[in-house]
PDB file of all heavy atoms in Angstrom:
ATOM      1  N   GLU A   1      18.920  34.367 -43.911  1.00  0.00           N
ATOM      2  CA  GLU A   1      17.951  34.859 -42.890  1.00  0.00           C
ATOM      3  C   GLU A   1      18.545  34.567 -41.571  1.00  0.00           C
ATOM      4  O   GLU A   1      19.253  33.558 -41.345  1.00  0.00           O
ATOM      5  CB  GLU A   1      16.622  34.223 -43.042  1.00  0.00           C
ATOM      6  CG  GLU A   1      15.876  34.401 -44.423  1.00  0.00           C
ATOM      7  CD  GLU A   1      16.209  33.400 -45.481  1.00  0.00           C
ATOM      8  OE1 GLU A   1      17.168  32.559 -45.306  1.00  0.00           O
ATOM      9  OE2 GLU A   1      15.478  33.332 -46.456  1.00  0.00           O
ATOM     10  N   SER A   2      18.286  35.368 -40.669  1.00  0.00           N
ATOM     11  CA  SER A   2      18.662  35.225 -39.252  1.00  0.00           C
ATOM     12  C   SER A   2      17.713  35.880 -38.170  1.00  0.00           C
ATOM     13  O   SER A   2      16.864  36.703 -38.686  1.00  0.00           O
ATOM     14  CB  SER A   2      20.094  35.686 -39.006  1.00  0.00           C
ATOM     15  OG  SER A   2      20.129  37.028 -39.288  1.00  0.00           O
ATOM     16  N   GLY A   3      17.852  35.518 -36.936  1.00  0.00           N
ATOM     17  CA  GLY A   3      17.079  36.238 -36.011  1.00  0.00           C
ATOM     18  C   GLY A   3      15.949  35.484 -35.390  1.00  0.00           C
ATOM     19  O   GLY A   3      15.291  35.999 -34.466  1.00  0.00           O
ATOM     20  N   GLY A   4      15.753  34.304 -35.795  1.00  0.00           N
ATOM     21  CA  GLY A   4      14.656  33.532 -35.237  1.00  0.00           C
ATOM     22  C   GLY A   4      14.932  32.980 -33.969  1.00  0.00           C
ATOM     23  O   GLY A   4      16.078  33.147 -33.424  1.00  0.00           O
ATOM     24  N   GLY A   5      13.973  32.229 -33.320  1.00  0.00           N
ATOM     25  CA  GLY A   5      14.183  31.716 -31.981  1.00  0.00           C
ATOM     26  C   GLY A   5      12.893  31.297 -31.315  1.00  0.00           C
ATOM     27  O   GLY A   5      11.930  31.275 -31.984  1.00  0.00           O
ATOM     28  N   LEU A   6      12.950  30.944 -30.120  1.00  0.00           N
ATOM     29  CA  LEU A   6      11.838  30.552 -29.252  1.00  0.00           C
ATOM     30  C   LEU A   6      11.346  31.796 -28.468  1.00  0.00           C
ATOM     31  O   LEU A   6      12.271  32.354 -27.800  1.00  0.00           O
ATOM     32  CB  LEU A   6      12.152  29.397 -28.394  1.00  0.00           C
ATOM     33  CG  LEU A   6      11.080  28.984 -27.375  1.00  0.00           C
ATOM     34  CD1 LEU A   6       9.883  28.431 -28.084  1.00  0.00           C
ATOM     35  CD2 LEU A   6      11.685  27.783 -26.389  1.00  0.00           C
ATOM     36  N   VAL A   7      10.084  32.073 -28.530  1.00  0.00           N
ATOM     37  CA  VAL A   7       9.580  33.181 -27.790  1.00  0.00           C
ATOM     38  C   VAL A   7       8.193  32.890 -27.251  1.00  0.00           C
ATOM     39  O   VAL A   7       7.461  32.124 -27.891  1.00  0.00           O
ATOM     40  CB  VAL A   7       9.586  34.455 -28.728  1.00  0.00           C
ATOM     41  CG1 VAL A   7       8.625  34.228 -29.915  1.00  0.00           C
ATOM     42  CG2 VAL A   7       9.272  35.774 -27.950  1.00  0.00           C
ATOM     43  N   GLN A   8       7.968  33.489 -26.087  1.00  0.00           N
ATOM     44  CA  GLN A   8       6.605  33.291 -25.599  1.00  0.00           C
ATOM     45  C   GLN A   8       5.556  34.096 -26.227  1.00  0.00           C
ATOM     46  O   GLN A   8       5.847  35.205 -26.808  1.00  0.00           O
ATOM     47  CB  GLN A   8       6.606  33.652 -24.099  1.00  0.00           C
ATOM     48  CG  GLN A   8       7.500  32.738 -23.207  1.00  0.00           C
ATOM     49  CD  GLN A   8       7.369  33.093 -21.738  1.00  0.00           C
ATOM     50  OE1 GLN A   8       6.920  34.153 -21.292  1.00  0.00           O
ATOM     51  NE2 GLN A   8       7.774  32.131 -20.897  1.00  0.00           N
ATOM     52  N   PRO A   9       4.312  33.689 -26.262  1.00  0.00           N
ATOM     53  CA  PRO A   9       3.186  34.450 -26.785  1.00  0.00           C
ATOM     54  C   PRO A   9       3.224  35.835 -26.148  1.00  0.00           C
ATOM     55  O   PRO A   9       3.485  35.995 -25.056  1.00  0.00           O
ATOM     56  CB  PRO A   9       1.920  33.707 -26.432  1.00  0.00           C
ATOM     57  CG  PRO A   9       2.442  32.304 -26.246  1.00  0.00           C
ATOM     58  CD  PRO A   9       3.811  32.392 -25.673  1.00  0.00           C
ATOM     59  N   GLY A  10       3.115  36.861 -27.221  1.00  0.00           N
ATOM     60  CA  GLY A  10       3.104  38.231 -26.730  1.00  0.00           C
ATOM     61  C   GLY A  10       4.477  38.832 -26.990  1.00  0.00           C
ATOM     62  O   GLY A  10       4.637  40.073 -26.831  1.00  0.00           O
ATOM     63  N   GLY A  11       5.446  37.995 -27.161  1.00  0.00           N
ATOM     64  CA  GLY A  11       6.868  38.478 -27.331  1.00  0.00           C
ATOM     65  C   GLY A  11       7.201  39.003 -28.679  1.00  0.00           C
ATOM     66  O   GLY A  11       6.277  39.122 -29.521  1.00  0.00           O
ATOM     67  N   SER A  12       8.492  39.422 -28.860  1.00  0.00           N
ATOM     68  CA  SER A  12       8.848  40.037 -30.032  1.00  0.00           C
ATOM     69  C   SER A  12      10.223  39.409 -30.598  1.00  0.00           C
ATOM     70  O   SER A  12      10.953  38.892 -29.797  1.00  0.00           O
ATOM     71  CB  SER A  12       9.140  41.543 -29.794  1.00  0.00           C
ATOM     72  OG  SER A  12       7.972  42.155 -29.405  1.00  0.00           O
ATOM     73  N   LEU A  13      10.349  39.444 -31.845  1.00  0.00           N
ATOM     74  CA  LEU A  13      11.635  39.114 -32.520  1.00  0.00           C
ATOM     75  C   LEU A  13      11.865  39.981 -33.769  1.00  0.00           C
ATOM     76  O   LEU A  13      10.870  40.533 -34.290  1.00  0.00           O
ATOM     77  CB  LEU A  13      11.532  37.681 -33.051  1.00  0.00           C
ATOM     78  CG  LEU A  13      11.637  36.480 -32.015  1.00  0.00           C
ATOM     79  CD1 LEU A  13      11.351  35.092 -32.823  1.00  0.00           C
ATOM     80  CD2 LEU A  13      13.010  36.494 -31.382  1.00  0.00           C
ATOM     81  N   ARG A  14      13.111  40.128 -34.078  1.00  0.00           N
ATOM     82  CA  ARG A  14      13.363  40.943 -35.240  1.00  0.00           C
ATOM     83  C   ARG A  14      14.215  40.024 -36.153  1.00  0.00           C
ATOM     84  O   ARG A  14      15.336  39.575 -35.735  1.00  0.00           O
ATOM     85  CB  ARG A  14      14.133  42.147 -34.906  1.00  0.00           C
ATOM     86  CG  ARG A  14      14.459  43.069 -36.136  1.00  0.00           C
ATOM     87  CD  ARG A  14      15.516  44.116 -35.775  1.00  0.00           C
ATOM     88  NE  ARG A  14      15.497  45.237 -36.813  1.00  0.00           N
ATOM     89  CZ  ARG A  14      16.510  46.043 -37.057  1.00  0.00           C
ATOM     90  NH1 ARG A  14      17.637  45.800 -36.454  1.00  0.00           N
ATOM     91  NH2 ARG A  14      16.376  47.014 -37.992  1.00  0.00           N
ATOM     92  N   LEU A  15      13.691  39.739 -37.307  1.00  0.00           N
ATOM     93  CA  LEU A  15      14.358  38.903 -38.325  1.00  0.00           C
ATOM     94  C   LEU A  15      15.205  39.785 -39.278  1.00  0.00           C
ATOM     95  O   LEU A  15      14.801  40.896 -39.634  1.00  0.00           O
ATOM     96  CB  LEU A  15      13.374  38.102 -39.186  1.00  0.00           C
ATOM     97  CG  LEU A  15      12.429  37.265 -38.289  1.00  0.00           C
ATOM     98  CD1 LEU A  15      11.570  36.430 -39.283  1.00  0.00           C
ATOM     99  CD2 LEU A  15      13.174  36.403 -37.357  1.00  0.00           C
ATOM    100  N   SER A  16      16.164  39.274 -39.755  1.00  0.00           N
ATOM    101  CA  SER A  16      17.028  39.956 -40.764  1.00  0.00           C
ATOM    102  C   SER A  16      17.332  39.094 -42.009  1.00  0.00           C
ATOM    103  O   SER A  16      17.422  37.861 -41.796  1.00  0.00           O
ATOM    104  CB  SER A  16      18.457  40.420 -40.148  1.00  0.00           C
ATOM    105  OG  SER A  16      18.396  41.304 -39.121  1.00  0.00           O
ATOM    106  N   CYS A  17      17.426  39.625 -43.107  1.00  0.00           N
ATOM    107  CA  CYS A  17      17.757  38.893 -44.340  1.00  0.00           C
ATOM    108  C   CYS A  17      18.841  39.660 -45.057  1.00  0.00           C
ATOM    109  O   CYS A  17      18.581  40.813 -45.597  1.00  0.00           O
ATOM    110  CB  CYS A  17      16.523  38.663 -45.209  1.00  0.00           C
ATOM    111  SG  CYS A  17      16.920  38.017 -46.856  1.00  0.00           S
ATOM    112  N   ALA A  18      19.968  39.166 -45.134  1.00  0.00           N
ATOM    113  CA  ALA A  18      21.138  39.772 -45.886  1.00  0.00           C
ATOM    114  C   ALA A  18      21.164  39.131 -47.332  1.00  0.00           C
ATOM    115  O   ALA A  18      21.174  37.955 -47.443  1.00  0.00           O
ATOM    116  CB  ALA A  18      22.399  39.501 -45.075  1.00  0.00           C
ATOM    117  N   ALA A  19      21.274  39.987 -48.332  1.00  0.00           N
ATOM    118  CA  ALA A  19      21.392  39.552 -49.621  1.00  0.00           C
ATOM    119  C   ALA A  19      22.707  39.917 -50.261  1.00  0.00           C
ATOM    120  O   ALA A  19      23.144  41.088 -50.107  1.00  0.00           O
ATOM    121  CB  ALA A  19      20.188  40.115 -50.516  1.00  0.00           C
ATOM    122  N   SER A  20      23.341  39.025 -50.869  1.00  0.00           N
ATOM    123  CA  SER A  20      24.569  39.384 -51.632  1.00  0.00           C
ATOM    124  C   SER A  20      24.232  40.059 -53.000  1.00  0.00           C
ATOM    125  O   SER A  20      23.015  39.834 -53.435  1.00  0.00           O
ATOM    126  CB  SER A  20      25.465  38.121 -51.898  1.00  0.00           C
ATOM    127  OG  SER A  20      24.683  37.284 -52.724  1.00  0.00           O
ATOM    128  N   GLY A  21      25.138  40.721 -53.545  1.00  0.00           N
ATOM    129  CA  GLY A  21      24.812  41.346 -54.839  1.00  0.00           C
ATOM    130  C   GLY A  21      24.434  42.803 -54.764  1.00  0.00           C
ATOM    131  O   GLY A  21      23.808  43.294 -53.823  1.00  0.00           O
ATOM    132  N   SER A  22      24.829  43.588 -55.736  1.00  0.00           N
ATOM    133  CA  SER A  22      24.666  45.036 -55.759  1.00  0.00           C
ATOM    134  C   SER A  22      23.357  45.528 -56.275  1.00  0.00           C
ATOM    135  O   SER A  22      23.050  46.715 -56.354  1.00  0.00           O
ATOM    136  CB  SER A  22      25.812  45.666 -56.523  1.00  0.00           C
ATOM    137  OG  SER A  22      25.791  45.153 -57.865  1.00  0.00           O
ATOM    138  N   ILE A  23      22.453  44.520 -56.761  1.00  0.00           N
ATOM    139  CA  ILE A  23      21.191  44.939 -57.397  1.00  0.00           C
ATOM    140  C   ILE A  23      19.988  44.751 -56.413  1.00  0.00           C
ATOM    141  O   ILE A  23      18.886  44.926 -56.791  1.00  0.00           O
ATOM    142  CB  ILE A  23      20.922  44.031 -58.615  1.00  0.00           C
ATOM    143  CG1 ILE A  23      20.925  42.527 -58.254  1.00  0.00           C
ATOM    144  CG2 ILE A  23      22.044  44.311 -59.677  1.00  0.00           C
ATOM    145  CD1 ILE A  23      20.458  41.713 -59.415  1.00  0.00           C
ATOM    146  N   PHE A  24      20.334  44.614 -55.140  1.00  0.00           N
ATOM    147  CA  PHE A  24      19.294  44.316 -54.094  1.00  0.00           C
ATOM    148  C   PHE A  24      18.275  45.571 -54.210  1.00  0.00           C
ATOM    149  O   PHE A  24      17.093  45.285 -54.082  1.00  0.00           O
ATOM    150  CB  PHE A  24      20.003  44.320 -52.788  1.00  0.00           C
ATOM    151  CG  PHE A  24      19.010  44.300 -51.604  1.00  0.00           C
ATOM    152  CD1 PHE A  24      18.374  43.259 -51.196  1.00  0.00           C
ATOM    153  CD2 PHE A  24      18.750  45.461 -50.920  1.00  0.00           C
ATOM    154  CE1 PHE A  24      17.513  43.222 -50.079  1.00  0.00           C
ATOM    155  CE2 PHE A  24      17.877  45.459 -49.846  1.00  0.00           C
ATOM    156  CZ  PHE A  24      17.248  44.375 -49.425  1.00  0.00           C
ATOM    157  N   SER A  25      18.827  46.782 -54.278  1.00  0.00           N
ATOM    158  CA  SER A  25      17.851  47.907 -54.167  1.00  0.00           C
ATOM    159  C   SER A  25      16.873  48.018 -55.356  1.00  0.00           C
ATOM    160  O   SER A  25      15.811  48.765 -55.215  1.00  0.00           O
ATOM    161  CB  SER A  25      18.749  49.221 -54.128  1.00  0.00           C
ATOM    162  OG  SER A  25      19.428  49.376 -55.287  1.00  0.00           O
ATOM    163  N   MET A  26      17.036  47.274 -56.457  1.00  0.00           N
ATOM    164  CA  MET A  26      16.142  47.287 -57.520  1.00  0.00           C
ATOM    165  C   MET A  26      14.888  46.432 -57.217  1.00  0.00           C
ATOM    166  O   MET A  26      13.855  46.671 -57.952  1.00  0.00           O
ATOM    167  CB  MET A  26      16.885  46.714 -58.753  1.00  0.00           C
ATOM    168  CG  MET A  26      17.984  47.452 -59.185  1.00  0.00           C
ATOM    169  SD  MET A  26      18.896  46.671 -60.507  1.00  0.00           S
ATOM    170  CE  MET A  26      17.585  46.410 -61.709  1.00  0.00           C
ATOM    171  N   TYR A  27      14.927  45.535 -56.298  1.00  0.00           N
ATOM    172  CA  TYR A  27      13.837  44.611 -56.186  1.00  0.00           C
ATOM    173  C   TYR A  27      12.861  45.070 -55.074  1.00  0.00           C
ATOM    174  O   TYR A  27      13.219  45.565 -53.981  1.00  0.00           O
ATOM    175  CB  TYR A  27      14.406  43.214 -55.768  1.00  0.00           C
ATOM    176  CG  TYR A  27      15.181  42.495 -56.858  1.00  0.00           C
ATOM    177  CD1 TYR A  27      16.546  42.228 -56.556  1.00  0.00           C
ATOM    178  CD2 TYR A  27      14.608  42.169 -57.988  1.00  0.00           C
ATOM    179  CE1 TYR A  27      17.257  41.548 -57.491  1.00  0.00           C
ATOM    180  CE2 TYR A  27      15.375  41.369 -58.886  1.00  0.00           C
ATOM    181  CZ  TYR A  27      16.671  41.210 -58.696  1.00  0.00           C
ATOM    182  OH  TYR A  27      17.376  40.471 -59.636  1.00  0.00           O
ATOM    183  N   PHE A  28      11.595  44.652 -55.294  1.00  0.00           N
ATOM    184  CA  PHE A  28      10.640  44.557 -54.250  1.00  0.00           C
ATOM    185  C   PHE A  28      11.038  43.319 -53.472  1.00  0.00           C
ATOM    186  O   PHE A  28      11.447  42.299 -53.989  1.00  0.00           O
ATOM    187  CB  PHE A  28       9.183  44.446 -54.746  1.00  0.00           C
ATOM    188  CG  PHE A  28       8.616  45.609 -55.319  1.00  0.00           C
ATOM    189  CD1 PHE A  28       9.330  46.705 -55.761  1.00  0.00           C
ATOM    190  CD2 PHE A  28       7.225  45.839 -55.477  1.00  0.00           C
ATOM    191  CE1 PHE A  28       8.800  47.909 -56.355  1.00  0.00           C
ATOM    192  CE2 PHE A  28       6.609  46.914 -55.988  1.00  0.00           C
ATOM    193  CZ  PHE A  28       7.362  47.940 -56.394  1.00  0.00           C
ATOM    194  N   MET A  29      10.908  43.345 -52.145  1.00  0.00           N
ATOM    195  CA  MET A  29      11.220  42.229 -51.282  1.00  0.00           C
ATOM    196  C   MET A  29      10.085  41.733 -50.437  1.00  0.00           C
ATOM    197  O   MET A  29       9.154  42.517 -50.290  1.00  0.00           O
ATOM    198  CB  MET A  29      12.487  42.567 -50.347  1.00  0.00           C
ATOM    199  CG  MET A  29      13.714  42.880 -51.088  1.00  0.00           C
ATOM    200  SD  MET A  29      14.464  41.488 -52.000  1.00  0.00           S
ATOM    201  CE  MET A  29      14.738  40.433 -50.678  1.00  0.00           C
ATOM    202  N   GLY A  30      10.114  40.481 -50.028  1.00  0.00           N
ATOM    203  CA  GLY A  30       9.145  40.013 -49.307  1.00  0.00           C
ATOM    204  C   GLY A  30       9.635  38.974 -48.225  1.00  0.00           C
ATOM    205  O   GLY A  30      10.666  38.408 -48.303  1.00  0.00           O
ATOM    206  N   TRP A  31       8.756  38.967 -47.114  1.00  0.00           N
ATOM    207  CA  TRP A  31       9.032  37.850 -46.078  1.00  0.00           C
ATOM    208  C   TRP A  31       7.857  36.866 -46.244  1.00  0.00           C
ATOM    209  O   TRP A  31       6.749  37.189 -46.477  1.00  0.00           O
ATOM    210  CB  TRP A  31       8.960  38.464 -44.737  1.00  0.00           C
ATOM    211  CG  TRP A  31      10.256  39.065 -44.296  1.00  0.00           C
ATOM    212  CD1 TRP A  31      10.576  40.454 -44.260  1.00  0.00           C
ATOM    213  CD2 TRP A  31      11.442  38.397 -43.746  1.00  0.00           C
ATOM    214  NE1 TRP A  31      11.854  40.640 -43.796  1.00  0.00           N
ATOM    215  CE2 TRP A  31      12.425  39.399 -43.533  1.00  0.00           C
ATOM    216  CE3 TRP A  31      11.745  37.072 -43.556  1.00  0.00           C
ATOM    217  CZ2 TRP A  31      13.657  39.034 -42.974  1.00  0.00           C
ATOM    218  CZ3 TRP A  31      12.945  36.753 -43.010  1.00  0.00           C
ATOM    219  CH2 TRP A  31      13.996  37.699 -42.783  1.00  0.00           C
ATOM    220  N   TYR A  32       8.257  35.679 -46.172  1.00  0.00           N
ATOM    221  CA  TYR A  32       7.347  34.494 -46.422  1.00  0.00           C
ATOM    222  C   TYR A  32       7.532  33.596 -45.190  1.00  0.00           C
ATOM    223  O   TYR A  32       8.582  33.608 -44.498  1.00  0.00           O
ATOM    224  CB  TYR A  32       7.749  33.665 -47.678  1.00  0.00           C
ATOM    225  CG  TYR A  32       7.730  34.547 -48.917  1.00  0.00           C
ATOM    226  CD1 TYR A  32       8.757  35.316 -49.246  1.00  0.00           C
ATOM    227  CD2 TYR A  32       6.709  34.358 -49.877  1.00  0.00           C
ATOM    228  CE1 TYR A  32       8.803  35.987 -50.408  1.00  0.00           C
ATOM    229  CE2 TYR A  32       6.720  35.108 -51.068  1.00  0.00           C
ATOM    230  CZ  TYR A  32       7.829  35.964 -51.315  1.00  0.00           C
ATOM    231  OH  TYR A  32       7.796  36.666 -52.508  1.00  0.00           O
ATOM    232  N   ARG A  33       6.553  32.736 -44.917  1.00  0.00           N
ATOM    233  CA  ARG A  33       6.715  31.790 -43.915  1.00  0.00           C
ATOM    234  C   ARG A  33       6.059  30.438 -44.264  1.00  0.00           C
ATOM    235  O   ARG A  33       5.119  30.458 -45.122  1.00  0.00           O
ATOM    236  CB  ARG A  33       6.088  32.219 -42.543  1.00  0.00           C
ATOM    237  CG  ARG A  33       4.632  32.432 -42.614  1.00  0.00           C
ATOM    238  CD  ARG A  33       4.195  33.065 -41.240  1.00  0.00           C
ATOM    239  NE  ARG A  33       2.668  33.263 -41.265  1.00  0.00           N
ATOM    240  CZ  ARG A  33       2.119  33.968 -40.275  1.00  0.00           C
ATOM    241  NH1 ARG A  33       2.902  34.473 -39.201  1.00  0.00           N
ATOM    242  NH2 ARG A  33       0.840  34.079 -40.192  1.00  0.00           N
ATOM    243  N   GLN A  34       6.585  29.371 -43.696  1.00  0.00           N
ATOM    244  CA  GLN A  34       5.974  28.021 -43.963  1.00  0.00           C
ATOM    245  C   GLN A  34       5.917  27.358 -42.664  1.00  0.00           C
ATOM    246  O   GLN A  34       6.918  27.057 -42.058  1.00  0.00           O
ATOM    247  CB  GLN A  34       6.792  27.275 -45.009  1.00  0.00           C
ATOM    248  CG  GLN A  34       6.175  25.980 -45.357  1.00  0.00           C
ATOM    249  CD  GLN A  34       6.841  25.358 -46.663  1.00  0.00           C
ATOM    250  OE1 GLN A  34       7.980  25.712 -46.949  1.00  0.00           O
ATOM    251  NE2 GLN A  34       6.086  24.468 -47.251  1.00  0.00           N
ATOM    252  N   ALA A  35       4.672  27.028 -42.256  1.00  0.00           N
ATOM    253  CA  ALA A  35       4.442  26.185 -41.023  1.00  0.00           C
ATOM    254  C   ALA A  35       4.278  24.713 -41.428  1.00  0.00           C
ATOM    255  O   ALA A  35       4.095  24.361 -42.543  1.00  0.00           O
ATOM    256  CB  ALA A  35       3.097  26.697 -40.475  1.00  0.00           C
ATOM    257  N   PRO A  36       4.565  23.912 -40.464  1.00  0.00           N
ATOM    258  CA  PRO A  36       4.537  22.412 -40.720  1.00  0.00           C
ATOM    259  C   PRO A  36       3.283  22.077 -41.331  1.00  0.00           C
ATOM    260  O   PRO A  36       2.170  22.382 -40.879  1.00  0.00           O
ATOM    261  CB  PRO A  36       4.790  21.897 -39.354  1.00  0.00           C
ATOM    262  CG  PRO A  36       5.469  22.879 -38.493  1.00  0.00           C
ATOM    263  CD  PRO A  36       4.988  24.103 -39.153  1.00  0.00           C
ATOM    264  N   GLY A  37       3.388  21.333 -42.569  1.00  0.00           N
ATOM    265  CA  GLY A  37       2.225  20.754 -43.222  1.00  0.00           C
ATOM    266  C   GLY A  37       1.436  21.755 -44.002  1.00  0.00           C
ATOM    267  O   GLY A  37       0.322  21.433 -44.409  1.00  0.00           O
ATOM    268  N   LYS A  38       1.958  22.976 -44.122  1.00  0.00           N
ATOM    269  CA  LYS A  38       1.267  24.020 -44.884  1.00  0.00           C
ATOM    270  C   LYS A  38       2.107  24.633 -45.952  1.00  0.00           C
ATOM    271  O   LYS A  38       3.344  24.388 -46.020  1.00  0.00           O
ATOM    272  CB  LYS A  38       0.800  25.189 -43.897  1.00  0.00           C
ATOM    273  CG  LYS A  38      -0.210  24.712 -42.812  1.00  0.00           C
ATOM    274  CD  LYS A  38      -0.621  26.008 -42.016  1.00  0.00           C
ATOM    275  CE  LYS A  38      -1.726  25.574 -41.061  1.00  0.00           C
ATOM    276  NZ  LYS A  38      -2.126  26.792 -40.285  1.00  0.00           N
ATOM    277  N   GLN A  39       1.427  25.224 -46.886  1.00  0.00           N
ATOM    278  CA  GLN A  39       2.144  25.828 -48.006  1.00  0.00           C
ATOM    279  C   GLN A  39       2.890  27.137 -47.575  1.00  0.00           C
ATOM    280  O   GLN A  39       2.482  27.806 -46.520  1.00  0.00           O
ATOM    281  CB  GLN A  39       1.248  26.163 -49.151  1.00  0.00           C
ATOM    282  CG  GLN A  39       0.737  24.880 -49.966  1.00  0.00           C
ATOM    283  CD  GLN A  39       0.049  25.253 -51.136  1.00  0.00           C
ATOM    284  OE1 GLN A  39      -0.398  26.309 -51.338  1.00  0.00           O
ATOM    285  NE2 GLN A  39       0.016  24.299 -52.144  1.00  0.00           N
ATOM    286  N   ARG A  40       3.970  27.493 -48.169  1.00  0.00           N
ATOM    287  CA  ARG A  40       4.580  28.746 -47.940  1.00  0.00           C
ATOM    288  C   ARG A  40       3.619  29.858 -48.180  1.00  0.00           C
ATOM    289  O   ARG A  40       2.917  29.909 -49.226  1.00  0.00           O
ATOM    290  CB  ARG A  40       5.821  28.850 -48.714  1.00  0.00           C
ATOM    291  CG  ARG A  40       6.715  30.071 -48.468  1.00  0.00           C
ATOM    292  CD  ARG A  40       7.930  29.921 -49.173  1.00  0.00           C
ATOM    293  NE  ARG A  40       8.818  28.918 -48.725  1.00  0.00           N
ATOM    294  CZ  ARG A  40       9.817  28.315 -49.442  1.00  0.00           C
ATOM    295  NH1 ARG A  40      10.032  28.655 -50.668  1.00  0.00           N
ATOM    296  NH2 ARG A  40      10.460  27.308 -48.886  1.00  0.00           N
ATOM    297  N   GLU A  41       3.540  30.875 -47.349  1.00  0.00           N
ATOM    298  CA  GLU A  41       2.661  31.994 -47.651  1.00  0.00           C
ATOM    299  C   GLU A  41       3.501  33.300 -47.454  1.00  0.00           C
ATOM    300  O   GLU A  41       4.437  33.442 -46.723  1.00  0.00           O
ATOM    301  CB  GLU A  41       1.531  32.017 -46.551  1.00  0.00           C
ATOM    302  CG  GLU A  41       2.019  32.210 -45.162  1.00  0.00           C
ATOM    303  CD  GLU A  41       0.766  32.327 -44.153  1.00  0.00           C
ATOM    304  OE1 GLU A  41      -0.320  32.617 -44.543  1.00  0.00           O
ATOM    305  OE2 GLU A  41       1.027  32.174 -42.896  1.00  0.00           O
ATOM    306  N   LEU A  42       2.886  34.364 -48.095  1.00  0.00           N
ATOM    307  CA  LEU A  42       3.489  35.615 -48.118  1.00  0.00           C
ATOM    308  C   LEU A  42       3.005  36.371 -46.924  1.00  0.00           C
ATOM    309  O   LEU A  42       1.837  36.533 -46.696  1.00  0.00           O
ATOM    310  CB  LEU A  42       3.119  36.402 -49.402  1.00  0.00           C
ATOM    311  CG  LEU A  42       3.710  37.815 -49.565  1.00  0.00           C
ATOM    312  CD1 LEU A  42       5.223  37.840 -49.656  1.00  0.00           C
ATOM    313  CD2 LEU A  42       3.067  38.478 -50.821  1.00  0.00           C
ATOM    314  N   VAL A  43       3.949  36.957 -46.091  1.00  0.00           N
ATOM    315  CA  VAL A  43       3.637  37.651 -44.918  1.00  0.00           C
ATOM    316  C   VAL A  43       3.633  39.185 -45.096  1.00  0.00           C
ATOM    317  O   VAL A  43       2.723  39.911 -44.598  1.00  0.00           O
ATOM    318  CB  VAL A  43       4.534  37.188 -43.870  1.00  0.00           C
ATOM    319  CG1 VAL A  43       4.330  38.076 -42.562  1.00  0.00           C
ATOM    320  CG2 VAL A  43       4.482  35.821 -43.458  1.00  0.00           C
ATOM    321  N   ALA A  44       4.644  39.715 -45.728  1.00  0.00           N
ATOM    322  CA  ALA A  44       4.823  41.177 -45.915  1.00  0.00           C
ATOM    323  C   ALA A  44       5.692  41.417 -47.170  1.00  0.00           C
ATOM    324  O   ALA A  44       6.546  40.639 -47.456  1.00  0.00           O
ATOM    325  CB  ALA A  44       5.477  41.758 -44.574  1.00  0.00           C
ATOM    326  N   THR A  45       5.453  42.576 -47.763  1.00  0.00           N
ATOM    327  CA  THR A  45       6.291  42.987 -48.885  1.00  0.00           C
ATOM    328  C   THR A  45       6.705  44.394 -48.674  1.00  0.00           C
ATOM    329  O   THR A  45       6.074  45.162 -47.801  1.00  0.00           O
ATOM    330  CB  THR A  45       5.529  42.894 -50.129  1.00  0.00           C
ATOM    331  OG1 THR A  45       4.452  43.824 -50.082  1.00  0.00           O
ATOM    332  CG2 THR A  45       5.082  41.496 -50.478  1.00  0.00           C
ATOM    333  N   ILE A  46       7.780  44.759 -49.277  1.00  0.00           N
ATOM    334  CA  ILE A  46       8.228  46.145 -49.282  1.00  0.00           C
ATOM    335  C   ILE A  46       8.745  46.539 -50.642  1.00  0.00           C
ATOM    336  O   ILE A  46       9.422  45.793 -51.275  1.00  0.00           O
ATOM    337  CB  ILE A  46       9.387  46.322 -48.164  1.00  0.00           C
ATOM    338  CG1 ILE A  46       9.666  47.801 -48.017  1.00  0.00           C
ATOM    339  CG2 ILE A  46      10.550  45.528 -48.414  1.00  0.00           C
ATOM    340  CD1 ILE A  46      10.386  48.112 -46.683  1.00  0.00           C
TER     341      ILE A  46
END
């Protein structure tokens, strides 16, 4: 994963996730996040 950083409220970022392997296109993919002291949660799927 890449593309994170510090941004002000109201700002934008674009994250990227590069996967090795030729079978990537077979999978449903998801973005997850984990805040301090919290469980990992699912944010979006495709």
Side-chain angles (χ1 to χ4, degrees):
E1 300 93 346
S2 62
L6 173 63
V7 63
Q8 292 186 341
S12 298
L13 284 173
R14 188 192 194 206
L15 307 183
S16 299
C17 171
S20 64
S22 60
I23 58 175
F24 171 82
S25 62
M26 295 172 57
Y27 292 116
F28 286 22
M29 296 296 295
W31 278 98
Y32 304 75
R33 66 186 180 187
Q34 187 167 20
K38 295 187 177 181
Q39 289 190 337
R40 188 174 288 158
E41 64 173 345
L42 180 63
V43 173
T45 62
I46 188 165

